[in-house]
Structures are given as C-alpha cells and as structure tokens.
Amino acid sequence: MKRQALSIKAESAPDLRKQLAAHDITVPHITEGRTAQHRETYTVARFLASFAEDPLLRYPIRVEHRDKPDFVVTLADRRVGIECVEAVPEEWYEISAIRERHFPEALVFGQIFHPGQKRFSKEEKWAIASGERKGPPWAGDMAERSWAEAMEYFVKQKTAKLRAGNYREFQDVWLLVQDEWRAPVYHSDELTLAVSLAAARIAPLLVAPSYSRVIVCRNSTIVTFTEAGTALTPVVDLWR
C-alpha cells in the first residue's frame, strides 16, 4: 500500500490538527503490505495531534518524513529530530501473519515474551496463532515489570546508535516509541506502576549524550520520560 509521506507546514494548533486529520494514517495488516513508513506516520501523527496545543510545539511548525532520523520537525525556536521505534516482541509479527492468513477469527491468549529473545518453535507459533496454545497466567506485577523491561530494551538499542554518532546534525533529538508490547497493562494503577519501574530503568539512558525526550505512544495515553521526570498525556484521536 503506497502512500504519500507525511509532510506538513502549519501556522497554529488548529491548522496542524486539520492537516493531520486529513492524512490517512491507517496501518495495513502485516500480510497486506505494512511498512515502516506506515507505522512511523501513525505514531508521529498521533503524537503531534495530542501535543498540538502544548508549549513544546512552537508555531509555525514544519514536519518532514525522511530517514536517520525518521522525522525533522522545524519549530519557531529550534529544529528537532525524531527517531521512531516500535516496541514489539521479535516473534509477534510472524505469529500475527500466520493468524491473519490461516486463523483470522482466532483469539490469541496471554503469551509472555521477553525483549530480544526468540522462545517459540515453528509448531508453537502455529499453535499460538490458532488460539490452541494458551499463555501462562500473569501474577503480581509481572505485566508491569515486563513492560518496563521492554521499554528499557528498545530505548537502549536506539540510544546506543545515538551515542555512536547518529543524528549529529541535531542538538535536540526525541525518541518516539510505538508501544505494541504484549503485556496486559490496562488500568491507570497498572500503568502508574509500569511507568515508575520503566523510569528507573531508563534514567541512565537519559544522561547526555541521549535523546532529550523518550515518548511512548500507547492506545489512549502518551508517556514522556525526561531527566526531569515523567508525564502522561491523553491521546487526541482525530481519526476515530
């Protein structure tokens, strides 16, 4: 599915949101041609819509979709690079593709994944995709710890590249994480605990040279990590 790259020039928050709302940010199924550009556009568009009225964005604003970093955002007072990453279990896409092709009605239950690890055989992946293989129960704070561990893993991978000299042309670079981690962190108290655990893990990665902001985009909440602390922002969904 070929789509025009996200490119916006906006004079105000209403102008930005109007242009974003007119842009197709649908992400196709894995088996229907999903690309990195689809995922990056979806993530940055929802972030910009949610922060359109925040003092973080000073107008006029220009957004360009490119590579290394994935976006350049030119604000009234500075130029910011935005790098995107998807926090997703390594084997999840393969399991999802099997499900989409062969078991589209199946319910996939509660597998426990670990970042950077491959745990399942080919037969096990098919059993998971079909809904036959159920995952073990999540006990205590297992889900929150799993989420925090995953966020640290993906931020660490990207921070290593930044500290190796990527994005030298920018004084300010943000990391935008699309949260697709498979851990049942749904309620506000669960998210509060998960964020506090993640903040402790991510803290060393926010010491310069580093991303000045790590922004985790979830279904209904955006979590921002900085050296100064954490913040939660409701997602503004212009495309619902």
Side-chain angles (χ1 to χ4, degrees), residues 45-202:
R46 283 164 59 87
F47 160 70
L48 291 171
S50 304
F51 279 76
E53 296 178 355
D54 192 281
L56 187 65
L57 302 185
R58 296 184 180 274
Y59 296 90
I61 180 174
R62 180 179 179 185
V63 182
E64 303 167 81
H65 200 165
R66 43 166 267 182
D67 190 33
K68 295 182 181 179
D70 298 308
F71 290 89
V72 175
V73 178
T74 305
L75 305 168
D77 56 346
R78 68 198 188 284
R79 191 165 170 258
V80 179
I82 297 182
E83 181 67 5
C84 298
V85 64
E86 187 177 31
V88 63
E90 192 165 342
E91 297 169 293
W92 181 245
Y93 273 162
E94 186 177 349
I95 292 168
S96 294
I98 295 170
R99 178 181 175 276
E100 287 175 14
R101 290 191 178 101
H102 304 282
F103 311 103
E105 303 300 322
L107 296 177
V108 178
F109 294 96
Q111 302 299 322
I112 296 177
F113 296 91
H114 297 282
Q117 295 183 17
K118 292 185 176 181
R119 303 184 60 216
F120 302 110
S121 67
K122 181 179 178 181
E123 292 74 19
E124 288 171 331
K125 291 172 188 174
W126 275 79
I128 294 168
S130 69
E132 293 178 6
R133 181 186 172 110
K134 308 295 190 291
W138 296 82
D141 60 1
M142 285 174 56
E144 292 88 341
R145 291 189 178 279
S146 173
W147 187 84
E149 178 188 7
M151 295 307 110
E152 178 196 21
Y153 174 82
F154 290 102
V155 174
K156 194 172 188 178
Q157 297 289 103
K158 285 292 186 178
T159 300
K161 294 182 178 181
L162 180 144
R163 289 175 174 171
N166 288 15
Y167 329 124
R168 280 196 183 101
E169 64 179 293
F170 297 93
Q171 290 184 323
D172 198 2
V173 189
W174 303 342
L175 180 62
L176 203 56
V177 183
Q178 176 59 30
D179 177 17
E180 298 292 339
W181 192 250
R182 306 290 297 180
V185 177
Y186 302 129
H187 304 295
S188 60
D189 57 337
E190 295 169 345
L191 181 58
T192 297
L193 175 57
V195 168
S196 68
L197 294 172
R201 287 175 168 269
I202 292 171

